[in-house]
Amino acid sequence: MKYVAIIALIVAAVVCSQLLFEFYDWNQKQSCASSGGRNCGGGATPINR
């Protein structure tokens, strides 16, 4: 039972760290966009002629 708890704790730590990295990236994009920045990581918009 101890091993299952340890494995669950490790999995939870990995999942939480991934969520924190995603939130950090999202927060940087929001800060860039709200300050009027360009090329904030939203990807290129194709121009059709």
Side-chain angles (χ1 to χ4, degrees), residues 18-40:
Q18 289 297 319
L19 287 174
L20 286 175
F21 284 125
E22 289 293 323
F23 178 73
Y24 178 75
D25 289 340
W26 175 81
N27 194 25
Q28 278 190 325
K29 289 177 186 175
Q30 290 297 318
S31 295
C32 179
S34 65
S35 66
R38 292 185 174 194
N39 299 327
C40 293

